[in-house]
Each structure stands twice: as C-alpha cells, then as structure tokens.
Amino acid sequence: MRVGDVLPPLEIEITRTLIVAGAIASRDYQDVHHDAELARQKGSPDIFMNILTTNGLVGRYITDRFGPRSVLRRVAIRLGAPNYPGDTMVLTGTVEAVEGDTATVRVVGANGIGRHVTGTVTVTVPGADGAEGAEGAAGAEGIAGAEGTAVHEAAGSRP
C-alpha cells in the first residue's frame, strides 16, 4: 500500500438497535442514546449514536480492510453530524503515511446530513513492511498506507 491509496468504503445502516446496543456495551446510559422522547425534549430529533460506538466502527473498518493480524495503534476521531436511526454512514479511508509495517489512514464517515466522523488511525500489520499482499491493496498481508474527540492508543493490543 502506498500513500494516497484509497480503501474500499464500508456502508453501515444506522438502526435503533445499533445505537442502543453500542451505548449499553460502552456503559453510556445517557438518555439521548436510548430514549427518543427524552432526546426530543433535549432538542434532538431522535436518539443518536455515541462516540464510543463510532470509535468501534472506525476500528472495525480498518481491521476489516487490513486483516486479522492488524493492530490498531492509535485512533483519533472527532464527531460532527449525528448518526440518527434510519440513516446510513459510509466510512472511507485514504492512506496518509506508511513507515515499515505501519500506516496512518485518514478516515471519514459521512451520513445523509454531513460528516459524522473524521480522524486518523495508525495501524500495524506485523511482517507487512510495506509489501502489498495477495488479497490486494487492503489485503491481510499488505499494509495500507458534536460530542467531542476521542483518542485511543493501544500498547500492542486491539481495543
């Protein structure tokens, strides 16, 4: 993978179940993530996805494209337009840097009202050393070059 390469997009249907399950799984019990009426009382048209669910989906996007040996080293994201039920978020990525078996990927997730998430992910594929794998540019053997901000750094383990 080389700097400038574009990863295939990932479309994610935003359902109530996804939003609520993500909030519960991340122990985020704020009512705006599970109670539509209370969300409306607070000025939102409906419940909306929390940043921790978005962080997980960004991680999934990268590991799905880099393969099962990939290790997320750093995920730094910022939220924009909320993800509401009934919409679709499309994640896209562009390789910004490659150094040995590690790449930095610029990720954008857009929905029907705008950019939901923007940020960068640093990922390592052990043994890749910049070589493209048999599965193509984003193959397992190759290396691909509103609520706030989240940064996750891993010390050799997946989040």
Side-chain angles (χ1 to χ4, degrees), residues 33-47:
H33 302 308
H34 65 84
D35 188 318
E37 183 54 38
L38 290 175
R40 281 190 280 281
Q41 288 176 16
K42 293 181 177 182
S44 178
D46 206 337
I47 63 171

Side-chain angles (χ1 to χ4, degrees), residues 4-159:
D5 284 351
V6 176
L7 302 181
L10 173 65
E11 290 188 14
I12 299 171
E13 297 298 319
I14 308 302
T15 65
R16 282 184 193 286
T17 301
L18 176 61
I19 293 169
V20 173
I24 290 169
S26 61
R27 296 183 176 189
D28 183 347
Y29 304 117
Q30 291 188 46
D31 52 25
V32 294
H33 302 308
H34 65 84
D35 188 318
E37 183 54 38
L38 290 175
R40 281 190 280 281
Q41 288 176 16
K42 293 181 177 182
S44 178
D46 206 337
I47 63 171
F48 54 91
M49 185 175 286
N50 72 357
I51 194 168
L52 296 171
T53 303
T54 300
N55 194 61
L57 292 171
V58 167
R60 169 190 161 196
Y61 174 63
I62 296 299
T63 58
D64 281 359
R65 270 125 190 92
F66 285 81
R69 296 185 318 149
S70 61
V71 179
L72 300 178
R73 298 297 180 183
R74 184 170 195 269
V75 177
I77 61 171
R78 179 174 296 272
L79 293 185
N83 265 341
Y84 293 118
D87 207 343
T88 300
M89 177 175 64
V90 179
L91 289 165
T92 57
T94 304
V95 178
E96 289 190 328
V98 176
E99 187 174 324
D101 61 358
T102 301
T104 301
V105 180
R106 176 84 174 147
V107 176
V108 174
N111 60 32
I113 57 176
R115 286 185 173 181
H116 170 68
V117 62
T118 56
T120 58
V121 178
T122 303
V123 59
T124 298
V125 181
D129 293 322
E132 192 170 303
E135 293 180 44
E141 299 304 316
I143 189 67
E147 280 185 293
T149 303
V151 175
H152 177 84
E153 295 196 46
S157 64
R158 293 173 74 160

